[in-house]
Structure formats: C-alpha cells, structure tokens
C-alpha cells in the first residue's frame, strides 16, 4: 500500500481516488495550457481518461492541506506490463519551483514499482527539470527504439506539435528525450557494488596480514607505542 505523504506541513501527495474526480477537467486544461506556453506540446488527455486512471489507482495527486489542487501524474502500461510510463506530470503554476514535482514523481515511481515490480519504467519528455528528477530516481537516457514498439504507445503523441518529426524519422528521433529505469540493470548495479566491496575487503585483509607481520618484527615497547597511537587515531 502506498501511504500518503505530507510535505513540509503544506501538501499531501497520495494515490488519487474517487474524491479527486472533480479535478480532472482542471488538470487537463492546465496540461494543455502548459504545453502551449512551452511551445513543444504534450500528448493531450481527456478528463474521462484522467478519471479512469484515478479510479484504477494509477494516478498521483498533490493537494494543499486545505484541499487546493497542486499537481498530478499518472501511470500507463504497455506490452502487457513490460513497460510502465509515468506520464502527464503537471504542477499548478502557483506551486511551481517549490519542489513538489519531485515528490509527485517519486510517489509515482514508488507506485509503479509496487504495482509492476518487474516492468521497465519509461518516460519521454522535453523538460530538463523532469529529466533531472528522472535521473535522480535511477533512470538512464535511451534511444527511442528502446521504448515500446506498440502503436498505442506512440498514438498518444499524435496531438503533440512535434509529431511530424517523430513520423518523418520513423520514430527514431524527436525533441523528446527517452529515459528508462530497468530493474534488472539496477540489480546488476547493486551486485557490482557488493562485489567491489568484497574485493576491497580481501585487499584490506591482505594488507592487515602484511602489517601484522611487519609489526611482529619490532620490539615490544615500539609495538606498544604504535598500538597506542593507532587507538588514539581511531578514537
């Protein structure tokens, strides 16, 4: 279960539910206005689609403690759960640059990992801020060819102003950057870190054996002095 999170005693970030259905139109309108302001465009979503995500438990919403809407994000699945996308991140203009987008993305990432633990978590964005957030979560940049081949995935881009670039390059290039978190690769990284630690430990043990042989050759009084110095250094 993904627990709600209170941020700085100002906001609550949680999995959306039926209590948030009333926000769907406002969220979609803000998504569209934000895309126009950036001049890049994002896949357009309808209020009904956003409501469905809320009812499925596949959306994150941020509110003030007094009940005002702050931000939103939802998750989608592709190729029978092989890929999960955290999409539609939007923050109300009054609350931007507050750090709340990072909390929303982190909660969406947590939800994705809980619901689809073996899936690759992906995203495409033109926002440098979102790229930074994704990178901090463990995403890596990938080519667009590494994203889902499912036509339904790319259909969501049809309402984007840059869709012609995507089609002219046979889905190889666009203004968006593809990013991906691969749980299998993450496991390998953890395994590599553990192996490096063990390797370093064996080297440390070897050094201690050499050190011990060296110290055993000196006089008892000198050995006592060195031991005291070592104890003082580590105290």
């Amino acid at each position: 279960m993904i627990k709600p999170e209170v941020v700085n005693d100002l906001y609550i970030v949680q999995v959306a539910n039926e209590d948030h259905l009333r926000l769907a139109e406002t969220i979609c309108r803000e998504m569209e206005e934000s895309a126009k302001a950036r001049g890049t465009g994002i896949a357009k979503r309808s209020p009904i689609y956003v409501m469905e995500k809320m009812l499925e438990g596949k959306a994150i919403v941020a509110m003030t403690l007094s009940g005002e809407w702050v931000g939103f994000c939802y998750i989608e699945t592709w190729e029978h759960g092989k890929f999960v996308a955290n999409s539609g991140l939007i923050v109300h203009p009054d609350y931007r640059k507050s750090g709340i987008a990072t909390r929303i993305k982190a909660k969406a990432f947590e939800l994705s990992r809980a619901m689809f633990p073996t899936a690759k978590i992906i995203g495409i964005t033109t926002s440098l801020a979102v790229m930074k957030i994704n990178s901090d979560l463990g995403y890596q940049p990938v080519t667009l060819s590494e994203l889902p081949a499912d036509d339904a995935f790319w259909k969501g881009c049809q309402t984007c102003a840059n869709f012609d670039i995507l089609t002219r390059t046979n889905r190889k290039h666009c203004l968006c950057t593809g990013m991906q978190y691969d749980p299998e690769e993450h496991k390998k990284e953890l395994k590599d870190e553990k192996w490096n630690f063990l390797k370093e430990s064996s080297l440390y043990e070897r050094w201690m054996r050499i050190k011990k042989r060296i110290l055993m050759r000196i006089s008892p009084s000198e050995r006592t002095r060195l031991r005291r110095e070592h104890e003082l250094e580590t105290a």
Side-chain angles (χ1 to χ4, degrees):
M1 180 179 179
I2 306 301
K3 296 182 179 180
E5 177 185 2
V6 177
V7 181
N8 299 329
D9 294 325
L10 296 173
Y11 317 111
I12 182 167
V13 183
Q14 64 187 95
V15 178
N17 54 53
E18 63 272 13
D19 294 335
H20 303 109
L21 295 178
R22 59 185 174 82
L23 301 173
E25 289 191 16
T26 301
I27 289 170
C28 290
R29 183 166 59 250
E30 191 55 51
M31 284 180 179
E32 187 174 357
E33 291 300 318
S34 177
K36 290 178 180 177
R38 292 204 310 269
T40 54
I42 58 174
K44 188 176 181 180
R45 297 303 187 200
S46 70
I48 295 297
Y49 185 85
V50 169
M51 288 180 183
E52 289 175 351
K53 290 299 176 183
M54 291 178 174
L55 293 175
E56 291 171 355
K58 295 180 179 179
I60 299 295
V61 65
M63 309 280 290
T64 65
L65 297 186
S66 61
E68 296 179 3
W69 173 70
V70 174
F72 179 78
C73 184
Y74 62 87
I75 67 176
E76 296 177 292
T77 58
W78 309 99
E79 297 186 12
H80 306 288
K82 180 180 178 181
F83 294 96
V84 175
N86 297 160
S87 304
L89 176 64
I90 188 70
V91 174
H92 189 287
D94 293 346
Y95 300 99
R96 289 171 187 168
K97 298 184 179 180
S98 67
I100 195 65
T102 300
R103 298 302 185 107
I104 294 171
K105 282 286 289 185
K107 189 63 71 174
F109 183 81
E110 180 185 357
L111 179 62
S112 300
R113 294 285 292 127
M115 295 185 73
F116 306 97
T118 62
K120 295 178 180 179
I121 306 177
I122 59 174
I124 52 176
T125 182
T126 57
S127 169
L128 290 175
V130 174
M131 292 179 201
K132 174 63 167 60
I133 294 171
N134 286 347
S135 179
D136 290 342
L137 289 171
Y139 288 67
Q140 296 291 332
V142 294
T143 62
L144 298 186
S145 62
E146 295 178 68
L147 300 180
D150 192 337
D151 288 340
F153 174 79
W154 300 101
K155 185 178 180 180
C157 298
Q158 288 181 357
T159 54
C160 176
N162 304 312
F163 187 63
D164 66 311
I165 300 175
L166 190 66
T167 53
R168 283 191 284 107
T169 61
N170 294 319
R171 299 177 184 171
K172 294 180 179 179
H173 304 286
C174 193
L175 296 187
C176 279
T177 296
M179 302 191 77
Q180 178 176 275
Y181 172 90
D182 187 339
E184 290 302 318
E185 288 296 324
H186 186 65
K187 289 180 182 178
K188 292 179 182 178
E189 291 174 3
L190 294 177
K191 183 177 180 180
D192 290 342
E193 291 176 2
K194 184 178 180 181
W195 171 252
N196 288 339
F197 171 77
L198 291 175
K199 183 177 180 180
E200 292 171 1
S201 295
S202 64
L203 290 174
Y204 175 77
E205 291 173 358
R206 182 183 178 189
W207 160 242
M208 288 301 295
R209 288 196 298 269
I210 295 173
K211 184 178 180 180
K212 184 178 180 180
R213 285 201 298 269
I214 293 173
L215 291 176
M216 290 297 289
R217 294 174 185 170
I218 63 177
S219 65
S221 60
E222 183 67 5
R223 192 182 312 155
T224 300
R225 184 184 67 80
L226 290 173
R227 184 172 64 251
R228 287 176 178 173
E229 289 181 358
H230 176 71
E231 290 172 350
L232 290 173
E233 289 175 355
T234 57

